[in-house]
Amino acid sequence: MATSGSTVFFPTIVEMIQEAHERAGLDLRGGYDITTGRRSFNLLMVELSNQQLNLFSEESVSLTLTPSTTSYALAADTIDVIEGAIRLNAGNTSTQSDLVISRTSMYDYIAVPNKLVTGQPTQYAIERGVDNPTIYFYPTPDGAQTYTFFYRRLRRLQNAGTSGTTTADVNFRFLDAVIAGLAYRIACKRKEAFPLIPQLKQQYDEALLLAQDEDRDRASIMLVPYANQRY
């Protein structure tokens, strides 16, 4: 049996818009259909970012802390910080070590009486504003040594752009879900496709569920029951 030997299929965003129109029973009539399709694509990327922690959009990042500086603005495309550790002796193959620190809420951070206490940070809080998030450390980093905050972040999915050759900022497992979502969103804009909206929505939900079920960590997990006995 002869196969192609190729596993690099990845349509451009324009091709995805074309496929979405075909699924909605529509003809791609001109440049404006591409423009409105890109807008629907961008909104779909926002929706996917809100759905769950997409493994393909997680990244490891490091931030060098400055003595006596409590807060730091994170990159503008950062959605949230998943977990983090204080790294000591960064880059030293013999003495580098990571100490996981806990995340606290902004409410608990505000309740700290003296936020200017210095030392090795043991907690952090995230303020998720309109633009980029801001991270706060407690205690405030001192000058005893160089602290590096090594963390995993969830980043924003990239926009469609204007080039005809750009591809979606998703893992290949999500290609069908993105096209199905585009077909549903495009159908909502064209009255001749209104009868297909329930069907397209169902197809989108099913394709997205399949992709999300596959987009998971396969590490083993052990749950231990906890019994709180009172006498």
Side-chain angles (χ1 to χ4, degrees):
M1 181 174 64
T3 62
S4 68
S6 174
T7 57
V8 297
F9 170 73
F10 213 101
T12 65
I13 292 175
V14 171
E15 290 173 333
M16 296 175 79
I17 294 173
Q18 292 172 338
E19 173 69 15
H21 276 77
E22 292 173 3
R23 293 190 185 191
L26 300 170
D27 293 326
L28 195 64
R29 297 176 297 191
Y32 181 74
D33 284 342
I34 298 295
T35 299
T36 189
R38 285 197 176 104
R39 185 164 59 247
S40 294
F41 176 90
N42 292 338
L43 292 171
L44 184 59
M45 292 299 100
V46 174
E47 179 186 342
L48 290 181
S49 296
N50 290 332
Q51 287 276 356
Q52 66 171 27
L53 271 68
N54 301 305
L55 296 184
F56 61 84
S57 63
E58 292 183 18
E59 292 180 344
S60 296
V61 187
S62 60
L63 172 67
T64 302
L65 306 186
T66 304
S68 301
T69 301
T70 301
S71 62
Y72 302 79
L74 301 180
D77 64 342
T78 299
I79 295 177
D80 202 359
V81 173
I82 302 170
E83 56 188 352
I86 291 295
R87 174 166 291 177
L88 306 177
N89 305 313
N92 189 315
T93 56
S94 300
T95 60
Q96 175 178 294
S97 61
D98 291 344
L99 174 65
V100 176
I101 62 177
S102 60
R103 176 170 176 170
T104 186
S105 68
M106 283 301 299
Y107 300 101
D108 290 337
Y109 177 76
I110 292 298
V112 174
N114 185 0
K115 300 175 181 60
L116 299 180
V117 171
T118 59
Q120 179 176 316
T122 58
Q123 292 181 322
Y124 69 94
I126 302 292
E127 182 179 37
R128 301 177 68 186
V130 175
D131 298 317
N132 49 320
T134 301
I135 186 168
Y136 297 83
F137 291 97
Y138 181 81
T140 298
D142 60 22
Q145 58 182 304
T146 300
Y147 302 113
T148 301
F149 184 57
F150 178 75
Y151 64 100
R152 295 282 293 172
R153 72 164 187 151
L154 187 66
R155 65 168 177 82
R156 182 173 176 175
L157 300 181
Q158 296 178 20
N159 299 334
T162 57
S163 171
T165 59
T166 54
T167 55
D169 183 26
V170 297
N171 186 277
F172 77 94
R173 295 187 298 270
F174 281 77
L175 287 176
D176 188 52
V178 171
I179 294 173
L182 271 176
Y184 163 67
R185 286 177 173 269
I186 290 171
C188 290
K189 299 179 179 182
R190 300 275 293 272
K191 63 181 181 180
E192 60 266 41
F194 283 0
L196 289 177
I197 288 178
Q199 175 184 331
L200 294 173
K201 182 64 166 63
Q202 181 179 356
Q203 291 175 353
Y204 169 50
D205 290 341
E206 291 176 353
L208 182 60
L209 181 61
L210 283 174
Q212 290 177 337
D213 282 348
E214 174 62 21
D215 192 51
R216 56 187 170 86
D217 195 326
R218 285 179 167 76
S220 300
I221 182 172
M222 181 175 65
L223 303 178
V224 180
Y226 172 73
N228 185 12
Q229 297 181 350
R230 295 185 179 181
Y231 298 94

